[in-house]
Amino acid sequence: MFPFFSHLPSHVATALFAGNGAVVKVSEWASSSAKWIEDVLREIIGKRGYNPDLVQIITGYGETGAALVQSGVEKVLFIGSPGVGKLVMKGASSTLTPVILELGGKDAFVVCDDADLDHAIDIAIRGAFINCGQNCISAERFLVQDGIYDEFLKKILIKLKKTRQGASCKGLRCDFGAMTMPSQAKHVEKLIADATSKGARVLYGGKRKGTEGKHPTYFEPTVLADVDLKMEIATEETFGPVMTVIRWKSEDELEKLCNSTPYGLGSSIFSKDYSKAERISKRIVTGMANINDFAIVPLIQSLPFGGVRASGFGAFNGKEGLRGFSYRKAITTDRLGIRAAAPDWLQYPVSSSAKNIVQQAMFMVYGRSVGEAVMGCINMVRLVLKAPSKKDDQAAAGKATSQEDTKA
């Protein structure tokens, strides 16, 4: 259901509602579901009386995506890693095609010592392990205040020991499934190894289930405690089922920890003191924040979804998303059908008094003091009243030209 949700309401629908067609290049790892998603979308569009060909879903590797970016499309929305995002932006620059980039995150999940701890723990498990952590807005860094740090870890472990990992399609009741790519599972292993070598503790999980070639992507939900900024996992996107737990004491320390990563997508803050939670949310550099909840923004289609810094720029959903898939155009017209002409002294050929009138108008508008502005206004009015008529001004200009010709 996750691939269907991510394509239909958030991206394709935004493009369609803004009056466009959409060509979607899916990851090569999602090719098996692409045809089904395309059929569903086309059926919906056709039943609403529109051409089903407004939506095209294509598969392929990087070369396919590169060709699409440079094919003459009007706008590119890319969701992926910062590295590939830079390549997309570079490719789009050759045709000056505008882009929206959503490049992942390292979202902070802040738990204050006055939070409803049981509530925070239930949401923390979902935030860390939903889709096995393979979600751009997964909660990756759990910053727990010193006074409740040990209790938080204790309650998390009690909950996790009651969960099951496996394939629900086989009829089992499962809480967690598998990761998508074996290479990503290796990346998670590397980050955990680096952290433990520098003092972090694995309290739960920490490894794949089975040997290489047998369930290579079933990675155990992992709790990693006592993480600090010396460890790669504290700032680098994990994109896997790891709850990285960091201790903090003061809000100043918290701000430093939260903003230590180059990413800036989303965040969650848990506290019964809503004014404090809002204050903390404003100190964290992200495009989105949730107070006493997780990942609510993308569920509210009227809100813009997007990040800052290495998480990209631009947004989809909300008014901003619709405008992002549209061209802005400014149009003026006569409101009452009255076509106002410029004053005589400003019509071509311009009056001999036009220069002085405009000069005084500049003093009136941009004068460095009230007195200078007032004098500019008075002088401008005086010059306008004294300005010769168009006929007299042209006659005087013609006479001056004749005299010059005679002298020559």
Side-chain angles (χ1 to χ4, degrees):
M1 189 63 187
F2 179 73
F4 182 70
F5 167 79
S6 67
H7 280 296
L8 176 58
S10 297
H11 315 134
V12 173
T14 301
L16 293 177
F17 290 168
N20 306 283
V23 181
V24 182
K25 190 274 177 189
V26 298
S27 167
E28 58 271 23
W29 291 92
S31 298
S32 62
S33 61
K35 183 64 169 61
W36 177 77
I37 293 173
E38 183 180 57
D39 290 343
V40 171
L41 290 172
R42 288 187 168 192
E43 181 181 357
I44 293 171
I45 294 168
K47 287 184 176 180
R48 298 302 300 169
Y50 297 99
N51 187 345
D53 290 339
L54 282 170
V55 173
Q56 307 279 340
I57 296 183
I58 60 176
T59 60
Y61 293 95
E63 312 85 63
T64 305
L68 178 60
V69 168
Q70 297 182 320
S71 66
V73 295
E74 299 292 336
K75 190 71 173 269
V76 174
L77 164 63
F78 173 75
I79 301 174
S81 69
V84 179
K86 291 176 182 178
L87 294 175
V88 169
M89 195 171 177
K90 182 178 179 181
S93 68
S94 64
T95 53
L96 294 179
T97 302
V99 298
I100 298 172
L101 300 178
E102 197 279 277
L103 305 178
K106 190 71 180 174
D107 289 10
F109 189 106
V110 177
V111 185
C112 300
D113 56 10
D114 64 346
D116 182 336
L117 192 54
D118 290 334
H119 171 73
I121 284 171
D122 283 335
I123 297 177
I125 293 174
R126 183 169 78 248
F129 304 122
I130 189 171
N131 300 317
C132 240
Q134 301 165 112
N135 192 330
C136 59
I137 54 173
S138 286
E140 294 213 357
R141 297 175 297 154
F142 291 78
L143 297 109
V144 183
Q145 197 161 7
D146 184 59
I148 58 169
Y149 184 86
D150 293 332
E151 185 181 2
F152 176 87
L153 290 173
K154 179 181 177 181
K155 290 192 171 185
I156 285 289
L157 295 178
I158 291 173
K159 283 269 188 182
L160 284 179
K161 288 175 182 177
K162 298 177 182 178
T163 62
R164 175 189 290 179
Q165 185 174 27
S168 58
C169 60
K170 294 182 179 180
L172 301 174
R173 184 205 64 77
C174 297
D175 300 285
F176 314 118
M179 296 182 67
T180 304
M181 299 175 288
S183 61
Q184 190 62 29
K186 289 181 179 180
H187 172 71
V188 174
E189 285 178 326
K190 171 180 171 293
L191 292 178
I192 293 175
D194 171 78
T196 54
S197 71
K198 296 174 182 176
R201 296 181 295 138
V202 175
L203 302 184
Y204 192 86
K207 62 184 186 301
R208 296 194 223 189
K209 296 180 69 173
T211 58
E212 182 70 27
K214 181 182 180 182
H215 306 311
T217 58
Y218 274 93
F219 204 104
E220 295 175 333
T222 300
V223 177
L224 196 62
D226 301 342
V227 173
D228 60 39
L229 296 182
K230 298 191 301 290
M231 305 166 189
E232 292 178 3
I233 201 167
T235 56
E236 186 175 335
E237 185 174 24
T238 308
F239 214 69
V242 181
M243 178 181 287
T244 301
V245 189
I246 303 171
R247 188 192 302 263
W248 65 276
K249 295 181 179 179
S250 69
E251 287 186 28
D252 288 340
E253 179 189 15
L254 175 63
E255 179 181 8
K256 179 182 177 182
L257 289 168
C258 288
N259 296 329
S260 63
T261 173
Y263 294 97
L265 188 56
S267 60
S268 296
I269 302 92
F270 288 78
S271 171
K272 293 177 182 176
D273 184 341
Y274 280 81
S275 61
K276 178 171 75 174
E278 290 183 14
R279 182 175 66 246
I280 291 173
S281 73
K282 292 175 182 178
R283 298 179 72 173
I284 304 174
V285 182
T286 59
M288 301 171 286
N290 304 279
I291 294 176
N292 290 320
D293 217 323
F294 159 76
I296 295 300
V297 172
L299 300 180
I300 304 174
Q301 296 291 300
S302 60
L303 291 177
F305 182 101
V308 296
R309 302 168 76 178
S311 290
F313 50 81
F316 48 86
N317 294 350
K319 293 179 180 178
E320 292 82 357
L322 291 172
R323 288 169 179 159
F325 283 102
S326 307
Y327 283 127
R328 292 188 301 273
K329 179 184 288 185
I331 300 175
T332 67
T333 186
D334 298 308
R335 179 176 293 182
L336 301 176
I338 301 173
R339 287 170 292 282
D344 284 351
W345 51 268
L346 202 55
Q347 294 179 8
Y348 291 98
V350 296
S351 167
S352 57
S353 58
K355 175 185 174 182
N356 292 332
I357 293 174
V358 172
Q359 185 180 54
Q360 294 305 315
M362 292 300 102
F363 283 122
M364 178 183 71
V365 177
Y366 300 111
R368 288 174 291 183
S369 66
V370 174
E372 192 172 58
V374 171
M375 287 306 300
C377 178
I378 293 171
N379 291 334
M380 183 191 72
V381 172
R382 183 183 295 124
L383 289 169
V384 169
L385 294 176
K386 291 172 60 178
S389 66
K390 197 74 171 176
K391 181 177 179 181
D392 292 342
D393 195 62
Q394 290 178 356
K399 183 177 179 181
T401 302
S402 298
Q403 288 176 349
E404 290 178 3
D405 290 344
T406 301
K407 291 178 181 179

